[in-house]
Amino acid sequence: QKEVEQNSGPLSVPEGAIASLNCTYSDRGSQSFFWYRQYSGKSPELIMFIYSNGDKEDGRFTAQLNKASQYVSLLIRDSQPSDSATYLCAVNAYSSASKIIFGSGTRLSIRP
Amino acid sequence: ETGVTQTPRHLVMGMTNKKSLKCEQHLGHNAMYWYKQSAKKPLELMFVYSLEERVENNSVPSRFSPECPNSSHLFLHLHTLQPEDSALYLCASSRWTSGGPSTDTQYFGPGTRLTVL
């Protein structure tokens, strides 16, 4: 079982709709959860992080965390073509800086 | 200059060459990381320097050798690489303490695209 799992996609969403990206993780000790956006040929860019169960909103982005079910999701409202990228989920266990594990990413495509 | 910088941005080397990748962070962080990103694979953590402790991924071949002279600079020394080592090498930094998770957000540099011939 992979430690951090994401559907590789591509996920195709019409412009203006809500894009929903999901991630599950295996380590119940995980404490920190991150979403990164990576454009082709570029380095990952942090979008959001979340530590507590529930929702965290930042502009058009909402991160949702459910530790009991071990999943974290990212919602993108009013999707724009510029949101087309690969979205990486990352999970950090509490105990060590070295336990940051990335998923393989979900490729999102926003169609005009 | 701000953020995390990496040089060179592109590198082509033969299997017998020796080269070094450089990373510098201007964020006041105390942890630095090397990652390898190959096509269609997750980011692979190679090395971490955190609070002066080096944490090494055992699956990293010895032809990769990190060096962290201080909290702002990180090097990756390369020698006798193989073509399968061709990838994007990313440096990241974070502010990490043992007291909790709130300071471990990683910020990435632009990467070095390495091609081994």
Side-chain angles (χ1 to χ4, degrees):
Chain A
Q1 181 188 5
K2 293 181 184 177
E3 294 183 78
V4 179
E5 291 210 48
Q6 296 182 255
N7 188 319
S8 62
L11 175 65
S12 181
V13 173
E15 185 174 356
I18 296 175
S20 178
L21 304 163
N22 299 312
C23 172
T24 58
Y25 59 94
S26 60
D27 185 352
R28 283 198 170 273
S30 301
Q31 296 286 325
S32 315
F33 307 87
F34 307 88
W35 283 102
Y36 286 84
R37 177 176 61 200
Q38 187 173 24
Y39 293 113
S40 180
K42 302 293 185 181
S43 60
E45 170 193 12
L46 181 70
I47 297 177
M48 292 192 70
F49 57 87
I50 187 168
Y51 306 129
S52 304
N53 275 327
D55 294 1
K56 179 181 178 182
E57 187 175 320
D58 184 0
R60 295 187 297 114
F61 299 96
T62 299
Q64 299 175 317
L65 175 60
N66 184 323
K67 289 187 180 180
S69 300
Q70 294 176 245
Y71 83 78
V72 56
S73 62
L74 180 70
L75 301 178
I76 307 175
R77 289 182 300 281
D78 188 25
S79 297
Q80 303 297 310
S82 59
D83 295 326
S84 297
T86 296
Y87 288 80
L88 304 174
C89 173
V91 175
N92 189 358
Y94 180 83
S95 59
S96 168
S98 67
K99 293 291 284 181
I100 299 169
I101 310 295
F102 283 81
S104 54
T106 298
R107 191 154 59 90
L108 175 66
S109 175
I110 308 299
R111 57 182 190 271
Chain B
E1 194 166 10
T2 60
V4 182
T5 59
Q6 289 186 245
T7 55
R9 296 293 305 277
H10 300 272
L11 178 61
V12 179
M13 59 187 289
M15 290 191 286
T16 58
N17 292 157
K18 289 184 181 181
K19 297 286 184 183
S20 296
L21 310 184
K22 179 182 176 182
C23 176
E24 186 172 358
Q25 61 93 4
H26 308 269
L27 300 169
H29 290 163
N30 59 1
M32 297 186 77
Y33 312 77
W34 280 118
Y35 286 90
K36 176 183 178 182
Q37 189 173 39
S38 304
K40 300 187 188 295
K41 284 187 177 182
L43 280 169
E44 299 173 51
L45 180 64
M46 299 177 73
F47 300 104
V48 180
Y49 280 85
S50 175
L51 298 177
E52 300 181 5
E53 173 192 356
R54 175 177 161 184
V55 181
E56 192 165 337
N57 184 326
N58 291 333
S59 66
V60 179
S62 59
R63 56 186 183 268
F64 295 92
S65 175
E67 178 189 359
C68 188
N70 54 60
S71 60
S72 298
H73 295 85
L74 185 65
F75 296 90
L76 187 63
H77 304 300
L78 317 170
H79 65 97
T80 59
L81 294 191
Q82 304 298 311
E84 60 264 30
D85 297 322
S86 298
L88 180 67
Y89 287 84
L90 291 161
C91 174
S93 71
S94 72
R95 183 166 59 91
W96 184 79
T97 69
S98 58
S102 62
T103 58
D104 56 6
T105 304
Q106 293 188 3
Y107 295 88
F108 285 84
T112 295
R113 175 68 63 185
L114 174 66
T115 302
V116 182
L117 301 176

